[in-house]
Amino acid sequence: MVLTFNKPSSTVRMPAFARGGAARAAAARARGLGRASPLCNAHRRSADATSNTRGVTRKPRATKTSATAAPMAAAAASAATASVKVNPVANIASTPVGADAAWILTCSALVLFMTLPGLSAFYGGLVRRKNQLSVFAQCLVCALVTSVMWWAFGYSLCFSEAPNAAVGGLDKAFLMSITKDSLYDTLPEALWALYQMTFAVITPALMIGAFVERMKFNASIVYMAVWSVLVYYPACHLIWGGGALAAAGVIDFAGGIVVHITAGIGALVAAIVVGPRKENRMVPGNILLTLLGTGMLWVGWFGFNGGSAGAAGQDAAFANLVTHLSASIAGLVWMALDYMETKKTSIVGICTGCVAGLAAITPAAGSVGPLGGILMGTISALICRYFSTEVKTKFGYDDSLDVFGVHGVGGFVGTILLAVLGAPAFGGFVETPMMTQLGIQTAAALATVAYTGVASYLALKVTDKVCGGLRVEDVVETKTGLDQYCHGEACYSLDDLAEGITIDKKSDAEVVPA
């Protein structure tokens, strides 16, 4: 049976190295070698029927056809070819692949699951009980706002073709140009927009952990919205949308630069500008929530990294394999370090270590093999723990839940180390000479740090003007709590009564001792 696809009226050209190097990707596809551009994996399947992505020759599958069936099959194949637009980058036909669509549909749900409820639970369990509801609310409303922004103009700014600009154009604003026949490589473009939307949701939400328990609800939402426009959209376009960093050969498989470095620096700047909490220490309200949130994030990360292969195949399998290994070893290393220091195995420490390993492997999941995943997790746990404890204490900034120390530093480490651990000597798949790729990765990471720092500061200044201040009053922080002040509700009303706390009937915004 020969299937024909009529009227794929709108095929979106995928950048040559949407998450890899352009020349390297094209050359690898032509030879049927390597892992080149992860988002073009499906292309490679049809580009060279006799070679797989590891360079192993295989025989084409033999098929039996009758004398009358052969001409009919040839005619049908010719018609199908004529009806499908050719991707000018890969120089092969772009056709929808059901298995790829099914996988990315699943991954879209998994990545959204990371924010709702994974990140909410992870952060919510680490703050005081009087502030837990506010953390969940910030994560939820961040998802609502950034999703609508993505529909209105975010997707267009990230993925409209504008290779020489910081962002794309507005030709895809309000997703008006997307139809059921629109394709992005082998995927329906509507699915591609949905999948990328989940990244645009979680990236600003990561910053919430840096300013919990003191930043006003409206200020946090405005900051994340403005920050998305100034930081996330340009970073996404420059690397994943076929922009200048992509052209320079930067590798960022699933968001070491686009997600973790940007969110980590944005969180650090916010923590410094907003200032420390009056009681600058972590008082977890429910560590079980954090433990559950860690599991949700870990499972969701399979969609985060595995889905970034853009197809259901060996690249997605390898990405999830090294993701799991990196998180596992990082959690063990962090636990061992805690025990060496305190003679206790902290659950919060284990959870934090696992997330550090997940963050670090994100940019490298398409570049390293199993050994590289183990080494990446080990190194990231050592460095991230040092930044989350020693460096934070030395400089005195209140990155409350270690967003910079885990995500920012982890993303930076992974972005740099992929050039080393992705070398064939470590079982990796990066074909560019190690020192050349190391220079490219380092320059891109440092440039992103510098730009994000300035842009985040400007976003905070705009937020300060719009919201009339960034943080709540001292009495709210020390006594009332953000749950009652911002939402007039509480997570643990029975506990509040047991502790002798009542709500002032004259003002729901203030809680006073009974």
Side-chain angles (χ1 to χ4, degrees):
M1 178 182 294
V2 179
L3 298 180
T4 61
F5 298 91
N6 295 320
K7 293 177 60 182
S9 59
S10 175
T11 300
V12 179
R13 180 170 66 88
M14 179 168 289
F17 56 158
R19 299 189 185 181
R24 186 171 68 257
R29 282 195 301 272
R31 299 193 307 272
L33 297 173
R35 293 165 74 83
S37 171
L39 291 181
C40 293
N41 295 331
H43 279 167
R44 292 203 298 273
R45 286 197 292 269
S46 55
D48 188 349
T50 62
S51 298
N52 63 18
T53 59
R54 302 298 294 278
V56 179
T57 301
R58 62 176 183 268
K59 294 177 62 177
R61 180 183 300 175
T63 57
K64 296 181 180 180
T65 57
S66 66
T68 57
M72 294 175 60
S78 176
T81 302
S83 68
V84 175
K85 293 187 177 181
V86 173
N87 185 317
V89 176
N91 197 30
I92 61 171
S94 289
T95 59
V97 177
D100 295 345
W103 172 236
I104 302 303
L105 276 169
T106 303
C107 291
S108 299
L110 288 172
V111 180
L112 184 61
F113 184 70
M114 292 174 69
T115 305
L116 305 172
L119 187 68
S120 306
F122 184 87
Y123 283 167
L126 293 174
V127 300
R128 293 170 174 84
R129 288 178 295 176
K130 62 184 178 182
N131 299 316
Q132 285 182 331
L133 188 63
S134 69
V135 173
F136 277 78
Q138 286 174 345
C139 290
L140 174 60
V141 177
C142 173
L144 305 181
V145 171
T146 52
S147 295
V148 174
M149 290 171 59
W150 190 253
W151 161 74
F153 53 84
Y155 177 71
S156 188
L157 292 179
C158 290
F159 289 99
S160 287
E161 289 191 44
N164 298 319
V167 293
L170 292 175
D171 54 298
K172 296 182 181 296
F174 302 103
L175 306 183
M176 293 296 290
S177 64
I178 297 181
T179 68
K180 286 188 176 181
D181 294 325
S182 301
L183 295 178
Y184 196 97
D185 214 41
T186 64
L187 302 172
E189 190 179 3
L191 175 55
W192 179 248
L194 171 64
Y195 180 62
Q196 288 298 327
M197 183 191 297
T198 61
F199 283 73
V201 165
I202 195 171
T203 303
L206 290 173
M207 299 189 295
I208 292 171
F211 47 73
V212 293
E213 302 191 305
R214 61 197 187 278
M215 194 170 186
K216 294 194 295 186
F217 177 74
N218 61 344
S220 67
I221 301 303
V222 172
Y223 173 56
M224 289 185 283
V226 175
W227 183 90
S228 294
V229 175
L230 295 182
V231 177
Y232 182 77
Y233 296 163
C236 182
H237 175 76
L238 288 171
I239 296 181
W240 294 343
L245 292 181
V250 175
I251 299 176
D252 187 3
F253 187 81
I257 294 176
V258 177
V259 176
H260 293 294
I261 291 180
T262 59
I265 298 300
L268 176 63
V269 174
I272 294 172
V273 173
V274 175
R277 291 166 291 179
K278 298 302 178 183
E279 297 180 23
N280 187 357
R281 61 191 180 93
M282 183 184 294
V283 183
N286 189 337
I287 295 178
L288 182 59
L289 270 180
T290 298
L291 187 60
L292 292 172
T294 302
M296 295 172 188
L297 287 170
W298 195 327
V299 171
W301 229 291
F302 278 21
F304 202 87
N305 288 357
S308 292
Q314 60 268 49
D315 287 328
F318 254 90
N320 280 344
L321 173 62
V322 299
T323 295
H324 188 76
L325 291 174
S326 179
S328 299
I329 193 66
L332 290 174
V333 170
W334 200 297
M335 179 180 69
L337 293 173
D338 280 349
Y339 185 79
M340 290 169 61
E341 182 178 318
T342 66
K343 301 305 178 183
K344 303 289 184 181
T345 53
S346 166
I347 298 301
V348 173
I350 297 172
C351 292
T352 306
C354 293
V355 174
L358 291 166
I361 198 63
T362 296
S367 302
V368 304
L371 175 60
I374 291 291
L375 294 175
M376 183 73 77
T378 301
I379 296 170
S380 64
L382 294 170
I383 298 177
C384 289
R385 189 178 186 277
Y386 178 76
F387 270 83
S388 298
T389 54
E390 302 298 328
V391 174
K392 184 171 71 170
T393 301
K394 179 178 180 180
F395 289 96
Y397 56 84
D398 185 12
D399 177 16
S400 308
L401 306 183
D402 296 318
V403 182
F404 169 69
V406 172
H407 294 278
V409 174
F412 192 93
V413 168
T415 298
I416 303 302
L417 282 184
L418 74 82
V420 178
L421 300 181
F426 291 97
F429 312 102
V430 177
E431 296 180 342
T432 304
M434 181 187 300
M435 295 310 298
T436 300
Q437 192 66 51
L438 183 62
I440 293 172
Q441 298 298 116
T442 303
L446 292 175
T448 302
V449 168
Y451 172 79
T452 302
V454 174
S456 299
Y457 181 79
L458 293 176
L460 285 163
K461 289 301 179 183
V462 170
T463 302
D464 191 14
K465 294 294 184 182
V466 171
C467 299
L470 297 174
R471 63 185 298 159
V472 297
E473 298 176 0
D474 291 353
V475 66
V476 174
E477 184 179 340
T478 57
K479 293 184 178 181
T480 309
L482 271 67
D483 291 358
Q484 285 292 343
Y485 177 76
C486 297
H487 310 291
E489 297 167 317
C491 284
Y492 303 101
S493 56
L494 293 178
D495 288 347
D496 290 343
L497 292 174
E499 293 172 4
I501 304 292
T502 60
I503 300 174
D504 186 349
K505 299 301 181 182
K506 297 180 180 180
S507 173
D508 287 339
E510 185 174 354
V511 178
V512 297

